[in-house]
Amino acid sequence: MVNSGNNEINMRILLVEDEQLVAEYLKLSLTSAGHEVDHAADGNTAYEKAILKGYDVIILDILLPGKNGVEVCKAVREYGVQTPILFLTSMEAEESRINGLDAGADDYLTKPFSFPELQARLRALYRRPQSIVNEHVIVGNIKISTTEHRAWLGDDEKDLRSKEFAVLAYLMRNKERAISRDELFRNIWGVSSENASNRVDVCVKELRRKFGKNCIKTISKTGYRIMQET
């Protein structure tokens, strides 16, 4: 949003940084500048927040626990998130910058950097026209809004939990193929777990309850597939 009182751009920012002191400094500085800042300290949490919440800009460190920054960037782009991404990295090698940009990042800033330069780059990213402002995905009589995280069955809007929406969106984006439980869990939860299949099955059960028992088909020895006609 734009604050018309002082012509400053106030953004909703996802800050992904695992170094505590750097994260605290940036969050305090960005908040003091009028921005709303959400913080993630590892790649798995960053991915979950990026696909489930709408941000104006994502500031993403490359060296992270769990998924690294390049992996997070690639994953959120594959999911369909178009939010501008600015990489922060202490690695000055050209290859690192190229890998980040190839993964879908929009810009990069090498540590150490000045806060005014960071702000200038964020403003530039915010002003860039986005290829997808609010994408609607429709499969059969189910429709979702990927930026507003809303879902409808016909004209009836359904109340979904964050993981339910993420599973539904992933299945709808990949409507032409069956998706394994492992793939769903890896891309939605982002971590390994002995209870992976159970968590996915619970989400699918809830989606069937809300959208109809035939909305998602179980594919033997494979996983699940969204049905284009129910």
Side-chain angles (χ1 to χ4, degrees):
M1 62 180 178
V2 178
N3 184 333
S4 58
N6 57 15
N7 294 321
E8 286 294 325
I9 297 174
N10 298 326
M11 290 168 269
R12 188 158 189 258
I13 298 171
L14 173 60
L15 170 64
V16 187
E17 172 60 66
D18 65 318
E19 294 184 36
Q20 184 177 352
L21 292 179
V22 175
E24 289 176 354
Y25 164 73
L26 288 176
K27 186 171 184 178
L28 177 61
S29 299
L30 291 166
T31 302
S32 299
H35 305 298
E36 180 182 345
V37 182
D38 197 3
H39 175 241
D42 63 85
N44 296 325
T45 303
Y47 172 77
E48 181 175 331
K49 287 178 178 289
I51 68 171
L52 296 179
K53 299 182 180 181
Y55 297 99
D56 295 312
V57 181
I58 298 172
I59 302 173
L60 181 60
D61 192 22
I62 287 185
L63 296 177
L64 296 168
K67 285 183 172 70
N68 65 42
V70 173
E71 291 170 335
V72 172
C73 182
K74 184 177 180 180
V76 299
R77 291 299 190 234
E78 289 177 347
Y79 188 84
V81 174
Q82 298 297 312
T83 305
I85 294 177
L86 172 70
F87 266 130
L88 294 184
T89 176
S90 58
M91 298 185 295
E92 298 181 0
E94 181 181 26
E95 183 179 357
S96 299
R97 299 194 295 270
I98 292 173
N99 288 340
L101 295 171
D102 284 345
D106 299 274
D107 198 1
Y108 68 89
L109 193 56
T110 302
K111 300 174 183 177
F113 54 85
S114 70
F115 185 70
E117 182 180 4
L118 173 62
Q119 287 229 86
R121 288 176 181 261
L122 293 176
R123 288 193 296 268
L125 289 176
Y126 180 85
R127 292 189 179 106
R128 285 185 186 178
Q130 298 303 305
S131 59
I132 298 177
V133 176
N134 183 18
E135 181 186 2
H136 288 90
V137 181
I138 301 174
V139 177
N141 57 354
I142 300 175
K143 180 176 76 172
I144 62 171
S145 166
T146 59
T147 55
E148 297 177 337
H149 296 96
R150 300 169 66 188
W152 297 264
L153 177 63
D155 295 327
D156 182 20
E157 184 170 357
K158 299 296 183 178
D159 183 22
L160 301 184
R161 295 179 178 178
S162 61
K163 291 295 189 297
E164 292 168 6
F165 180 89
V167 169
L168 178 62
Y170 196 89
L171 290 171
M172 291 177 69
R173 288 182 181 280
N174 295 275
K175 63 183 179 181
E176 303 299 332
R177 65 187 181 94
I179 308 297
S180 70
R181 290 176 174 86
D182 287 342
E183 180 178 345
L184 280 168
F185 194 83
R186 186 173 64 253
N187 283 277
I188 304 305
W189 279 264
V191 293
S192 60
S193 170
E194 295 180 356
N195 299 318
S197 294
N198 290 339
R199 294 188 187 184
V200 172
D201 291 345
V202 167
C203 273
V204 170
K205 180 179 180 181
E206 282 300 299
L207 290 171
R208 285 171 171 163
R209 183 179 68 82
K210 294 174 181 179
F211 291 92
K213 63 181 181 180
N214 296 321
C215 70
I216 299 172
K217 182 179 181 179
T218 300
I219 308 298
S220 178
K221 298 181 181 180
T222 303
Y224 295 110
R225 182 172 180 176
I226 193 78
M227 298 303 294
Q228 300 192 42
E229 295 183 6
T230 58

